[in-house]
């Protein structure tokens, strides 16, 4: 769009040609792709089932999956990962871990040495923590992966979580041990350890 005047003040038919803008730098023809990706929605669903031993057809798990399915990653491209994806993964992990911990037979075979009925102080002493965390990490973490965090670092973070969740000044409510176990399971199963591939 431009305006032109035959006569403007003492000038007649003056037109200044616009100089074209320089061409933008062309995009890189061969951009570097990340070496890692993320699991897609159906892979997350199946992975959490394998980790927890809970069937993908468990009604509670299936209902949550159908609710958050569109919120889970659809592409393996890690650069397209959004915070909403993590929220969906977290909901799935919580439901799978709840189903695992609520099934006394399944949790007993998965964590045979952990006392789910004890108080937080007795169940989460050093040996109790190991009885919960070690089998959990054996299921969640692969071995000899180049992109995997150090097991000791993950164990430290889970211990820190347990410390925060069991800090009730000696007066934790009944059932707190089971809630903390569920939260510990969900934190491990819903983390990047499970998501990144």
């Amino acid at each position: 769009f431009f305006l032109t005047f035959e006569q403007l003040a003492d000038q007649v038919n003056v037109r200044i040609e616009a100089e074209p803008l320089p061409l933008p730098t062309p995009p890189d023809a061969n951009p570097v792709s990340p070496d890692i990706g993320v699991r897609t929605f159906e892979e997350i669903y199946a992975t959490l089932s394998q980790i927890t031993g809970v069937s993908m057809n468990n009604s509670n798990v299936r209902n949550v999956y159908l609710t958050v399915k569109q919120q889970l990653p659809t592409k393996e491209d890690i650069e397209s990962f959004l915070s909403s994806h993590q929220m969906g993964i977290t909901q799935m992990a919580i439901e799978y871990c709840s189903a695992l911990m609520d099934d006394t037979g399944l949790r007993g075979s998965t964590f045979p040495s952990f006392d789910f009925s004890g108080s937080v102080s007795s169940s989460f002493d050093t040996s109790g923590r190991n009885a919960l965390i070690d089998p959990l990490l054996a299921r969640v973490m692969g071995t000899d992966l180049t992109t995997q965090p150090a097991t000791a670092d993950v164990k430290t973070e889970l211990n820190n979580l347990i410390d925060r969740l069991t800090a009730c000044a000696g007066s934790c409510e009944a059932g707190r041990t089971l809630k903390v176990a569920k939260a510990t399971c969900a934190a491990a199963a819903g983390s990047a350890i499970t998501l990144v591939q």
Side-chain angles (χ1 to χ4, degrees):
F1 176 79
F2 67 91
L3 289 176
T4 183
F5 299 94
E6 286 185 29
Q7 183 173 3
L8 185 61
D10 62 341
Q11 304 289 319
V12 178
N13 292 327
V14 176
R15 181 181 293 171
I16 300 172
E17 295 293 332
E19 292 190 26
L21 295 172
L23 293 175
T25 306
D28 189 355
N30 297 314
V32 178
S33 296
D35 292 336
I36 58 175
V38 294
R39 286 185 168 89
T40 58
F41 63 96
E42 73 279 3
E43 293 171 328
I44 294 166
Y45 187 40
T47 299
L48 290 172
S49 176
Q50 187 174 15
I51 287 171
T52 60
V54 174
S55 170
M56 293 168 60
N57 295 320
N58 174 292
S59 61
N60 292 338
V61 167
R62 183 87 179 142
N63 289 339
V64 170
Y65 173 69
L66 293 174
T67 302
V68 301
K69 181 179 176 182
Q70 293 182 355
Q71 197 176 329
L72 298 171
T74 57
K75 298 188 312 184
E76 292 181 352
D77 181 10
I78 198 163
E79 293 179 349
S80 66
F81 188 75
L82 303 170
S83 59
S84 62
H85 294 149
Q86 185 60 53
M87 292 310 299
I89 293 162
T90 300
Q91 288 176 290
M92 288 295 307
I94 290 169
E95 194 57 46
Y96 265 109
C97 287
S98 288
L100 165 63
M101 299 300 179
D102 289 341
D103 183 328
T104 55
L106 189 55
R107 80 178 185 212
S109 63
T110 306
F111 308 101
S113 302
F114 186 76
D115 181 11
F116 287 93
S117 60
S119 68
V120 292
S121 58
S122 65
S123 292
F124 291 106
D125 63 6
T126 303
S127 65
R129 287 176 187 231
N130 290 336
L132 178 69
I133 295 173
D134 292 344
L136 182 60
L137 292 183
R139 287 175 167 257
V140 172
M141 298 184 73
T143 56
D144 300 324
L145 302 175
T146 57
T147 58
Q148 179 178 326
T151 303
D153 292 343
V154 176
K155 192 168 184 174
T156 297
E157 290 302 320
L158 293 177
N159 272 310
N160 291 341
L161 174 64
I162 291 169
D163 286 343
R164 288 190 299 275
L165 296 176
T166 58
C168 357
S171 60
C172 292
E173 75 278 6
R176 180 74 169 203
T177 298
L178 183 59
K179 290 176 185 175
V180 173
K182 287 180 181 182
T184 305
C185 172
S191 70
I193 300 168
T194 302
L195 177 66
V196 175
Q197 61 179 359

